[in-house]
Amino acid sequence: MQSSDPRHFFETDAEQQTRERRAAKSGNKYGNPIQLKSKILAAVVDPRSPASSILVAESAGTVRRVNISSDAQDKTLASVTTGLYRGPTTPVACVAVGGPSQTTVFAGAWDKTIWSWDLETKTPGRKYVGHSDFVKAVVCAAMGGKYYLISGGADKKIIVWDIETGARLHTLQDSEVNMMSLQDLVVDHASSTADEISLISASSDPHIRRWRIRADGWEQVVEPDPSTPGTERRTIVEHETTVYKLALPHPGAEEDEEVDLWTSSGDGTAKCLSRLRGFTCDDTYQHGDHVRAVAVTRDWVITAGRDENVKFWNRTSGALHCTLEGHFDEVTDLVVLRGQNGQEGPLCSVSIDGTVRTWPLQAAALDALVEEQKKTEVEDDEVEKAEVPANLLSADEEAELAALMEEDD
């Protein structure tokens, strides 16, 4: 039988150190982890239970509905799984919920297909076939009394689908600036109307694009360039490389209509792009390494990514409040749960390590977690020092060994 154990294959010293570090870190209980059976590639809030449940896309080819409200320290997978949506035989890269009354789960997979299921019964529905490469992002929107699915793929295309009929309405592409593999899509509700969807896309290039979609057509937004008067701008370029994630505050969460756009990138930063200033950079958060996810609450900007840490930044001052450890592989998504009347909290993070972890949004609770992690680090250091064997050589023997080594030279 062929082995999948990495220790049975050639490893560089760096790869071996990374594997050993992750193995040592995997047993921690920070964030009250729920361990799934495969890598988690994306997550969204469950609209039926926004205060206690999320839907996650797994590399095992499933979408799982996870209840995270239990306070138990040891949560079994069976006890927290309230729905399992099967069908794909390839990894599921993205997930969304939409359609009439938000009753349909949609999942984009590596098999180039978008799968769908009834949220409650888990009955498989229509499959949407049209991409020629992995489906990387899906979102849902309503327009003119009808419901639409919008998908983005590694084939550099954005496709608009009629959810009811499965018809492919439009294929969006940038005709002038090469658009690479899609990474994320978000509906801009502040700019959408009853008959037009305002969409923002991010891809494996630094360009953020805005689109207007109607039932009878679409167009890429071309507008005056705020940085160069008298010229036009087809794309928003505030990052140096891949833009992984786009975030807009939850509809109704902002007290005014000045809903800014938040982004995370492979250049190691997350940014706030000011709507009033034409989506130019207002604040930059230097997370470090690839920033795969960003979430925004009333008080915090939260970032996470390849370095495995979840960082909380003060939204008003921009200062780093704390760094939380727990995950032992790349963090792929962040989701803020919503209570009654849109009340925020807690935060869920998901990762390649297969865990869902939950974090508070209250400053005092975050500070307590930081102190707990510091205390554990000190205890681990003391144990490590205690395990270091004493020097077995006397001073004379040390000198003799040094002399022998010099002779060898």
Side-chain angles (χ1 to χ4, degrees):
M1 182 176 178
Q2 194 171 29
S3 172
S4 60
D5 190 331
R7 292 172 297 180
H8 295 164
F9 300 90
F10 173 77
E11 288 183 295
T12 65
D13 290 344
E15 289 171 337
Q16 182 178 353
Q17 290 171 3
T18 297
R19 177 175 55 77
E20 291 174 349
R21 177 187 59 79
R22 286 174 174 166
K25 191 179 177 183
S26 63
N28 80 83
K29 299 298 181 181
Y30 299 137
N32 202 8
I34 300 170
Q35 182 69 58
L36 274 57
K37 293 184 177 180
S38 64
K39 300 173 182 178
I40 308 174
L41 305 182
V44 294
V45 171
D46 178 357
R48 291 298 182 91
S49 305
S52 60
S53 185
I54 63 173
L55 292 144
V56 299
E58 296 188 66
S59 64
T62 57
V63 173
R64 189 181 301 269
R65 195 179 186 186
V66 182
N67 186 316
I68 55 87
S69 61
S70 172
D71 293 328
Q73 289 296 313
D74 296 313
K75 302 175 182 179
T76 64
L77 188 55
S79 69
V80 299
T81 298
T82 57
L84 197 58
Y85 307 85
R86 301 179 184 273
T89 57
T90 62
V92 175
C94 51
V95 60
V97 181
S101 303
Q102 293 190 307
T103 56
T104 305
V105 178
F106 298 94
W110 284 18
D111 64 4
K112 312 171 190 177
T113 302
I114 303 159
W115 297 68
S116 69
W117 302 264
D118 182 276
L119 178 62
E120 295 300 334
T121 68
K122 301 178 283 298
T123 302
R126 185 184 303 278
K127 289 200 290 186
Y128 301 80
V129 181
H131 283 284
S132 58
D133 208 334
F134 302 162
V135 181
K136 303 287 289 295
V138 286
V139 292
C140 299
M143 173 177 61
K146 298 190 68 175
Y147 297 92
Y148 297 90
L149 171 69
I150 308 172
S151 59
D155 57 3
K156 310 176 185 179
K157 296 176 182 178
I158 300 171
I159 300 179
V160 182
W161 312 81
D162 184 314
I163 288 179
E164 182 180 2
T165 65
R168 182 165 130 176
L169 271 63
H170 311 303
T171 300
L172 284 57
Q173 290 183 286
D174 191 330
S175 60
E176 295 190 18
V177 180
N178 182 39
M179 181 170 67
M180 299 180 71
S181 172
L182 272 296
Q183 292 288 341
D184 198 20
L185 301 170
V186 64
V187 174
D188 182 3
H189 294 282
S191 296
S192 298
T193 67
D195 298 311
E196 183 177 89
I197 299 167
S198 178
L199 181 75
I200 307 176
S201 67
S203 46
S204 297
D205 53 69
H207 299 272
I208 296 171
R209 295 167 174 84
R210 300 173 65 212
W211 314 84
R212 296 190 185 100
I213 302 168
R214 299 174 300 279
D216 61 354
W218 63 274
E219 62 189 28
Q220 185 175 346
V221 175
V222 179
E223 56 194 350
D225 190 335
S227 61
T228 310
T231 64
E232 289 185 330
R233 179 184 71 176
R234 294 181 61 84
T235 65
I236 300 166
V237 184
E238 295 290 345
H239 286 285
E240 297 176 3
T241 184
T242 301
V243 180
Y244 287 114
K245 190 66 69 174
L246 305 169
L248 290 167
H250 187 268
E254 296 293 277
E255 295 179 357
D256 54 38
E257 296 180 356
E258 299 169 10
V259 182
D260 295 329
L261 176 66
W262 305 78
T263 62
S264 67
S265 168
D267 63 14
T269 69
K271 299 194 177 197
C272 172
L273 308 187
S274 168
R275 186 181 295 267
L276 284 179
R277 294 168 48 194
F279 293 107
T280 55
C281 183
D282 207 20
D283 289 298
T284 299
Y285 304 85
Q286 297 284 349
H287 180 102
D289 213 335
H290 289 236
V291 190
R292 292 296 306 270
V294 59
V296 184
T297 70
R298 183 185 65 251
D299 299 322
W300 308 111
V301 177
I302 306 140
T303 58
R306 187 173 293 178
D307 69 356
E308 306 169 6
N309 295 328
V310 178
K311 296 187 178 183
F312 283 73
W313 309 79
N314 186 293
R315 183 170 172 179
T316 301
S317 68
L320 177 63
H321 181 81
C322 67
T323 299
L324 297 179
E325 296 184 355
H327 288 289
F328 50 96
D329 208 330
E330 184 171 329
V331 179
T332 52
D333 218 342
L334 298 170
V335 177
V336 179
L337 297 181
R338 301 278 167 182
Q340 293 182 347
N341 303 319
Q343 183 180 358
E344 297 173 335
L347 172 82
C348 290
S349 58
V350 299
S351 167
I352 296 294
D353 66 18
T355 66
V356 179
R357 296 176 189 255
T358 310
W359 313 97
L361 294 181
Q362 299 80 15
L366 290 171
D367 294 342
L369 276 176
V370 171
E371 290 304 313
E372 178 187 351
Q373 294 189 0
K374 286 181 179 178
K375 181 180 178 182
T376 302
E377 288 176 5
V378 171
E379 291 173 349
D380 289 344
D381 288 342
E382 291 176 350
V383 170
E384 186 174 338
K385 289 177 182 177
E387 291 175 348
V388 175
N391 189 359
L392 299 180
L393 299 179
S394 66
D396 290 340
E397 289 171 331
E398 287 277 11
E400 184 179 355
L401 176 61
L404 287 171
M405 294 180 67
E406 287 177 3
E407 289 178 5
D408 290 340
D409 293 339

